[in-house]
Amino acid sequence: MSRIFDPSREAIKEILGFDLAETRAGQDIFQEVIKKVRQDGIEEGIKIGRLEGLFEAIKLGMGLKFGLEGIKLLPRIAKEKDITKLDTIKTAIRLATSVKDILATSVKDIEELLEIES
């Protein structure tokens, strides 16, 4: 039978035979873990903010440019969690003349269109 690791302070104390948090090394490790978790949280928060911001820009653009036909695509677009793809969709809205143009757009297509536009 496999045992699931319990990372609690008590479980670690039981395994080691002493309280790691009461040692200098343990405190240093604890501080590093806190710093890493905090940084990961910040990075995840930034990513979520970018995703939400891109989706709001897409929602506005689709509604303004394509009306109800554009709005109908939003549930599909909302499932996308790749920032590059959402940014591509946002750019496609600006360049597209129809919703079909957006559906057919890839990152490569947008890059080519932006080069032509420059």
Side-chain angles (χ1 to χ4, degrees):
M1 179 192 285
S2 68
R3 225 176 114 186
I4 297 174
F5 177 67
D6 176 8
S8 70
R9 184 174 179 178
E10 292 77 25
I12 294 170
K13 183 178 179 180
E14 185 179 319
I15 292 167
L16 297 175
F18 63 93
D19 191 348
L20 184 62
E22 292 178 0
T23 67
R24 180 70 190 147
Q27 291 171 1
D28 290 345
I29 291 168
F30 183 68
Q31 290 302 317
E32 285 300 313
V33 168
I34 288 173
K35 188 187 305 182
K36 174 74 172 124
V37 168
R38 185 176 292 135
Q39 184 61 37
D40 289 351
I42 290 169
E43 289 171 10
E44 185 65 19
I46 290 169
K47 181 181 177 185
I48 290 169
R50 287 190 67 201
L51 288 169
E52 289 174 355
L54 280 167
F55 183 70
E56 287 301 314
I58 289 167
K59 188 164 62 171
L60 178 66
M62 292 292 278
L64 290 174
K65 191 158 186 178
F66 302 113
L68 185 58
E69 187 180 5
I71 298 294
K72 286 179 182 179
L73 280 181
L74 293 177
R76 256 173 77 182
I77 295 169
K79 294 176 185 174
E80 183 58 61
K81 302 300 177 205
D82 183 293
I83 289 173
T84 302
K85 289 180 182 177
L86 287 173
D87 200 41
T88 299
I89 293 167
K90 182 187 71 159
T91 302
I93 293 166
R94 183 171 55 86
L95 301 173
T97 56
S98 74
V99 171
K100 289 178 185 176
D101 293 340
I102 293 167
L103 293 171
T105 301
S106 69
V107 174
K108 185 179 176 199
D109 294 334
I110 292 295
E111 288 171 350
E112 289 173 1
L113 285 170
L114 290 174
E115 285 176 15
I116 293 169
E117 205 175 68
S118 301

